[in-house]
Amino acid sequence: MKTVAVIVLIFCFGLSTVENIKCYECRQANAKFCKGEEVECPDGSSCMTVSSNAGINHTYYSIQKRCSLNMKCNHSMYAYVNEDVYFELSIDCCDGDLCNNGGHMIKNKTYDYNGPECPACVSYDTLEVCEPVTTTICRSKTDHCNFFAGYLEKPDGVKTKFSVQGCMSEMGCLYDFSQIVGLKVSGVKTKGCKVLNLKHQPNHE
């Protein structure tokens, strides 16, 4: 009887064992796809894909795949001065073995451009915050005006001084830039976000 009981217990524990999810893991700068290696994730993880576009008079596409661990899933952020100088990032998660097998994807959204009107400028030769030369209208009412001065590192490893003012999404203001694979920021001298009044709306008579 004891032998039978032991066998039954082993069988029950075997049935209750749940294998951890497997995900692809890779990092690729200046690319829209990476396949990566199969890895087993910790308990509670999903499979994550981080896609980013960075525009510095040229668009750099980057992608990272990994286990989600404790990172927040399914959100996006952006920052921009104008159509030539901008940054967008989307973090997408899925459940199921090796489900993060797709490519680079920035979620398409329709913006109202009804947010604050922020000072705007960009400079590549100073670590001081650049002086505004124009303004830019933010995409959403929840956007913030932001400023940054530090070093920008391109995929080839070349670093350059970079200073900017413009608009940033609320999520971007909380982001630590650790997931950026393409254009990286380093040696940050100053950065921050501030809330300004919404842009002036014309009176309708």
Side-chain angles (χ1 to χ4, degrees):
M1 286 297 293
K2 288 184 179 180
T3 302
V4 173
V6 170
I7 293 174
V8 170
L9 285 173
I10 293 174
F11 180 73
C12 290
F13 279 120
L15 289 179
S16 64
T17 300
V18 178
E19 292 185 0
N20 291 352
I21 192 172
K22 293 181 180 178
C23 300
Y24 286 113
E25 183 176 80
C26 58
R27 292 169 60 94
Q28 188 66 51
N30 212 18
K32 288 188 174 182
F33 183 81
C34 64
K35 182 176 181 180
E37 300 292 330
E38 297 181 15
V39 297
E40 186 173 300
C41 299
D43 290 341
S45 289
S46 298
C47 294
M48 174 178 283
T49 301
V50 183
S51 306
S52 64
N53 296 341
I56 304 294
N57 302 317
H58 169 79
T59 300
Y60 296 89
Y61 301 98
S62 300
I63 186 169
Q64 179 181 19
K65 298 179 182 180
R66 54 169 292 174
C67 306
S68 65
L69 302 177
N70 295 321
M71 288 189 61
K72 183 177 180 180
C73 285
N74 302 319
H75 69 274
S76 59
M77 60 150 285
Y78 55 81
Y80 65 95
V81 179
N82 51 45
E83 61 182 12
D84 295 319
V85 181
Y86 64 90
F87 176 76
E88 299 176 302
L89 182 144
S90 288
I91 297 179
D92 299 285
C93 292
C94 58
D95 295 313
D97 281 342
L98 306 177
C99 61
N100 61 336
N101 58 357
H104 175 280
M105 181 181 67
I106 298 292
K107 294 179 179 178
N108 294 322
K109 293 185 177 181
T110 301
Y111 299 105
D112 296 325
Y113 290 93
N114 60 356
E117 184 173 356
C118 296
C121 60
V122 60
S123 174
Y124 302 100
D125 60 4
T126 180
L127 292 178
E128 302 296 329
V129 176
C130 56
E131 290 293 330
V133 295
T134 184
T135 59
T136 186
I137 305 300
C138 296
R139 296 172 176 177
S140 169
K141 290 181 179 179
T142 60
D143 287 354
H144 292 55
C145 297
N146 81 301
F147 57 90
F148 170 87
Y151 285 94
L152 192 70
E153 183 179 341
K154 296 181 180 180
D156 58 10
V158 175
K159 291 185 179 181
T160 183
K161 295 175 182 178
F162 182 65
S163 175
V164 66
Q165 289 197 62
C167 290
M168 180 173 278
S169 62
E170 188 173 22
M171 180 62 69
C173 290
L174 303 174
Y175 198 72
D176 65 2
F177 301 103
S178 62
Q179 293 303 115
I180 298 176
V181 178
L183 292 177
K184 297 181 181 180
V185 294
S186 61
V188 178
K189 184 173 181 181
T190 183
K191 67 175 182 177
C193 290
K194 51 189 176 182
V195 179
L196 297 183
N197 294 329
L198 294 182
K199 71 183 182 69
H200 174 70
Q201 299 286 347
N203 293 324
H204 297 284
E205 296 182 358

